[in-house]
Amino acid sequence: MTWPVRLGLLGLVMASYWGVYQHGRSVERSQALAASAQRDGADRLAEVLAQRSARHEEQRRAQAQEEVNAHAHEQNQVAAADAAGADAAGQRLQHDAGQFAATVGCPGTDTAAVGRGQAATRAAMVLSDLLARADARAGELAKVYDRARVAGLACEASYSALTP
């Protein structure tokens, strides 16, 4: 065999080795791309599932907040109705105390008895006024307490609904 033939044969062998090498690289590259695509697909799926879970949790929390707000509104309405009833009872009590204070007195001609009757009437009027002011203040404090209690319970319920 001559050199040119040997070089041609050697060139063919080298070319076939080069072809096999390039084929192996392309197979490895396609396998790496497939594995990368599979990882990316799994990552994307995990991301989508996480977003869906986050949206579901957000909706659950929003619904829980709406329920808490509705319950607090109902409790405020009940407290307002109770306060209105208490105000009406307080007004009746004040009216009765005013009438009682107006009727206190000592009829007669004895000036000492009449003086004592007038003093008793003044004392009854002062006590009636004191009762009216104390009842009004107690009503105000009760309304503030009721609102604060409802707000505190709503806050607690809201926190409980937001924490897992």
Side-chain angles (χ1 to χ4, degrees):
M1 262 199 222
T2 63
W3 282 102
V5 174
R6 279 190 184 173
L7 285 178
L9 189 56
L10 185 61
L12 283 176
V13 170
M14 291 299 280
S16 67
Y17 282 150
W18 182 255
V20 169
Y21 171 74
Q22 287 299 327
H23 176 71
R25 281 190 59 202
S26 67
V27 168
E28 284 180 358
R29 192 176 307 124
S30 67
Q31 288 175 348
L33 287 174
S36 176
Q38 188 175 10
R39 270 193 320 271
D40 290 347
D43 290 346
R44 180 66 184 138
L45 177 63
E47 184 179 321
V48 167
L49 291 176
Q51 287 175 352
R52 184 179 299 160
S53 176
R55 277 194 306 272
H56 178 70
E57 179 64 15
E58 182 180 342
Q59 289 171 351
R60 184 196 66 80
R61 287 180 178 188
Q63 183 179 7
Q65 287 287 29
E66 289 174 11
E67 290 172 5
V68 166
N69 289 339
H71 185 67
H73 182 70
E74 289 172 7
Q75 286 181 332
N76 276 329
Q77 287 178 334
V78 168
D82 289 347
D87 285 345
Q91 287 175 355
R92 284 191 304 272
L93 177 66
Q94 291 171 16
H95 179 264
D96 292 346
Q99 282 184 337
F100 176 71
T103 60
V104 170
C106 292
T109 59
D110 184 11
T111 57
V114 170
R116 285 191 304 267
Q118 288 175 346
T121 301
R122 283 191 301 273
M125 293 300 279
V126 168
L127 289 176
S128 173
D129 183 52
L130 183 62
L131 173 67
R133 292 189 336 201
D135 184 56
R137 183 65 179 152
E140 291 171 8
L141 292 174
K143 288 175 187 175
V144 169
Y145 169 77
D146 285 342
R147 283 194 302 269
R149 182 177 173 275
V150 168
L153 291 174
C155 181
E156 181 182 353
S158 177
Y159 177 78
S160 296
L162 293 179
T163 56

